[in-house]
Structures are given as structure tokens and as C-alpha cells.
Amino acid sequence: RTNSDYRQHRYFTINKQNCSRLRGKRMGRRILNDALRSMVNAEKRGKAMVELKPISTVISSFLQIMKHRGYIKDFQVYDPHRVGRITVELQGRLNDCKALTYRQDLKAKDIEAYRLRTLPTNQWGYVVITTPDGVLDHEEAAKRNVGGQVLGYFH
């Protein structure tokens, strides 16, 4: 291959096939997934607090749902208009938390079937969905009868 087929990046080489993979919404979902995975890892290590960097409004919305459902104690956003960081106080209740890096559309009638397929048990855990009404968990989305795209889940 010629040199024009490759672009050098700081950590890896990008060719024309996987260059489109790094554009668009997927980078935002990767940031969300990295933040959620660092929370799970800190929880497994027994830490009481974790710091998340970089941040986005989607991460704040996801954390607001986790706080409302009792999976984290509290979180603070520092300097949201610049690079920013979020400190999260963990509660010890979080087993697993993942963000979907691919696009998964859900209709309102399919939310319950998706929850049963994704979560390991019927008794706890939530699927987080971005809807026209905002970022909601599966219970609130089903109550409002709105569908959307799945951001991730936690239990």
C-alpha cells in the first residue's frame, strides 16, 4: 500500500477501512463506556470514590438515573464548559455497567422484551434509553410509551 492509504495516529495507524469507525457518535459512546467501566473497576476494588474524565452531558444524564435508582450515592461535575471532570461517590451496589457502542433502536412495545434479554435477572437492573423526552430508564420510557436508542444498562 502507498503512504496515502495510511494516516499516522499517536497510538495506532488508521487505514481507510477503519477511519470511518472513529467518527461521529461512536466516539461519544466510547467515552461513556470508558466512564462506566472505570466505575465498575473502582467498585470491584472497593473504592469509595472515582473520578471520570473526559465528561459529557450524556454521562451526567446516565449518572442522574443511577443516582435516582440508588446505585450511586452522589456525583459532582467540575468545570463542565472546559475539559471537566466528574467525581462519583460509589455505594457498593453496582455489579456491572456497560454502554452499547453500536446503535440499537427500540420501539416502546419492545422495551420489556429487550430488558429481559439483556439484564441477568428480572428483579433488578435498568436499561437506559435516549428518547425524544430525554434520557430515561426502561421503566419510565414504558410508562410514557416512548421508544428510542439504547445507551446502556446497569445492574
Side-chain angles (χ1 to χ4, degrees), residues 14-25:
I14 303 171
N15 61 25
K16 286 183 179 178
Q17 286 82 22
N18 65 7
C19 184
S20 64
R21 185 188 75 190
L22 298 175
R23 290 189 194 121
K25 289 187 178 183

Side-chain angles (χ1 to χ4, degrees), residues 99-155:
L100 296 182
T101 54
Y102 57 91
R103 186 175 166 162
Q104 177 70 45
D105 295 328
L106 274 185
K107 296 178 182 174
K109 63 180 180 171
D110 299 333
I111 290 175
E112 189 62 26
Y114 183 83
R115 182 189 70 86
L116 292 172
R117 235 183 11 249
T118 305
L119 296 176
T121 181
N122 295 338
Q123 295 154 344
W124 65 81
Y126 295 91
V127 176
V128 180
I129 304 166
T130 178
T131 67
D133 294 351
V135 179
L136 306 171
D137 59 39
H138 70 271
E139 288 180 354
E140 191 68 30
K143 191 187 313 180
R144 294 185 188 187
N145 197 27
V146 293
Q149 290 184 3
V150 178
L151 284 178
Y153 62 90
F154 60 92
H155 59 88

Side-chain angles (χ1 to χ4, degrees), residues 60 63-64 67 72-77 86-89:
S60 298
L63 290 175
Q64 188 64 40
K67 179 182 174 186
I72 60 174
K73 285 182 187 173
D74 197 16
F75 68 96
Q76 286 289 94
V77 180
I86 297 177
T87 57
V88 180
E89 292 180 49

Side-chain angles (χ1 to χ4, degrees), residues 22-38:
L22 298 175
R23 290 189 194 121
K25 289 187 178 183
R26 211 173 253 195
M27 283 304 269
R29 292 183 185 228
R30 189 175 296 158
I31 289 170
L32 175 63
N33 196 33
D34 290 346
L36 298 178
R37 295 314 301 166
S38 57

Side-chain angles (χ1 to χ4, degrees), residues 76-92:
Q76 286 289 94
V77 180
Y78 297 101
D79 202 11
H81 300 294
R82 305 190 85 198
V83 175
R85 64 187 166 91
I86 297 177
T87 57
V88 180
E89 292 180 49
L90 300 172
Q91 189 144 338

